[in-house]
Amino acid sequence: MTAYDGRHRAPKSTLSLSRMGATAATSLAAVAVAVPAAGAASAAPSVAATPSATSGTSTSTATIRTLWLGHRGGLVKQVQRKVGVGVDGVYGPRTKAAVKRWQKRHGLVADGVVGPRTAAKMGLRATTTKKKASRSSARTSTTTGIVSTAARYYGTRYRYGGTSPTSGFDCSGFTGYVYKKHGKALPRTAEQQRRAASKTSNPQPGDLVFFGAPAYHVGIYAGAGKIIDSGRSGTSVSKRAIWTNQVSYGRF
């Protein structure tokens, strides 16, 4: 091992639209949409439209929900761009007034409500908000899990060259053990882990914190400027404040 092998003493311290096919006109004709009369105080209806399944193709289901005052999201932004009003994703009075003007120009009932007919006329498209949220949720779940796993080993004594809770951990032995619990194989030493990780300037809990370059120490970022690490002889795995700004962050 070199002087930087990670065995060391660390310093102290939704809305979507169904895809229109050859049966689009028939499907829309079969959907009954209740549109509130001007000035009426009634709730906007929600209408579910399920395309017919065809042999050899997968079946997809989409929901066409009427948009009006109070709704938010990606489809509202599309409507706002279409009618030429400020884009903030919130269906407010200005958006409603602009929709009414747009509907009037296009021969539709000018009620300020974006139902299936108005949506089809506008050519609104399904957004990918849900998929992005899903990827984000998966990432959050993984990183939160790493921190939770690391916390299970609070109190495990430091041991130079240690790679398990029974033998004790050195710094990189600890990070490698925790990540292995989540199906991620890390190199053995702090510097090797630093080189293998994807560098990030926006660390999230669960990322790795490297001290120095070459790295002489590594820990798991716990958020709020703290790490969980196995620091030095005579101590044990714990959470503590990062004591220097000479650090970098890596992600696997």
Side-chain angles (χ1 to χ4, degrees):
M1 290 291 176
T2 67
Y4 307 108
D5 65 359
R7 304 179 184 182
H8 64 289
R9 296 185 180 183
K12 296 182 180 180
S13 60
T14 298
L15 302 176
S16 63
L17 297 177
S18 60
R19 186 168 49 196
M20 296 298 183
T23 60
T26 303
S27 297
L28 287 176
V31 178
V33 181
V35 179
S42 59
S46 294
V47 181
T50 306
S52 299
T54 57
S55 178
T57 61
S58 59
T59 302
S60 62
T61 301
T63 300
I64 299 177
R65 190 173 69 178
T66 302
L67 297 175
W68 76 336
L69 288 174
H71 280 124
R72 297 169 179 262
L75 285 178
V76 175
K77 290 182 178 180
Q78 290 186 48
V79 170
Q80 291 171 327
R81 294 188 187 97
K82 182 67 65 173
V83 300
V85 71
V87 178
D88 60 5
V90 179
Y91 204 116
R94 291 184 179 178
T95 300
K96 179 180 178 179
V99 168
K100 289 173 100 173
R101 292 192 295 270
W102 191 93
Q103 289 171 321
K104 187 174 181 179
R105 291 196 303 271
H106 291 80
L108 300 169
V109 176
D111 54 13
V113 175
V114 179
R117 290 188 180 183
T118 299
K121 189 78 171 178
M122 287 182 172
L124 302 186
R125 296 177 179 275
T127 65
T128 58
T129 302
K130 183 175 290 186
K131 291 182 180 179
K132 290 180 180 178
S134 177
R135 288 194 294 270
S136 177
S137 297
R139 169 64 186 162
T140 300
S141 177
T142 299
T143 56
T144 300
I146 289 173
V147 172
S148 297
T149 299
R152 295 177 194 168
Y153 301 102
Y154 286 160
T156 302
R157 303 298 293 178
Y158 176 92
R159 180 183 175 186
Y160 179 82
T163 59
S164 75
T166 53
S167 65
F169 293 114
D170 64 16
C171 69
S172 55
F174 173 63
T175 55
Y177 184 86
V178 171
Y179 266 69
K180 186 176 180 180
K181 289 287 186 181
H182 291 267
K184 299 177 184 293
L186 271 58
R188 177 61 184 91
T189 70
E191 174 60 9
Q192 288 170 346
Q193 290 177 8
R194 185 185 74 86
R195 289 179 177 275
S198 297
K199 188 174 182 180
T200 178
S201 58
N202 181 33
Q204 302 298 313
D207 288 337
L208 296 182
V209 186
F210 298 103
F211 295 75
Y216 60 83
H217 183 58
V218 61
I220 295 172
Y221 186 58
K226 295 185 177 182
I227 60 169
I228 300 174
D229 71 335
S230 183
R232 62 186 184 278
S233 180
T235 66
S236 57
V237 173
S238 63
K239 181 165 70 173
R240 55 179 175 157
I242 297 173
W243 59 89
T244 176
N245 60 3
Q246 300 300 310
V247 297
S248 60
Y249 299 89
R251 180 171 297 163
F252 283 91

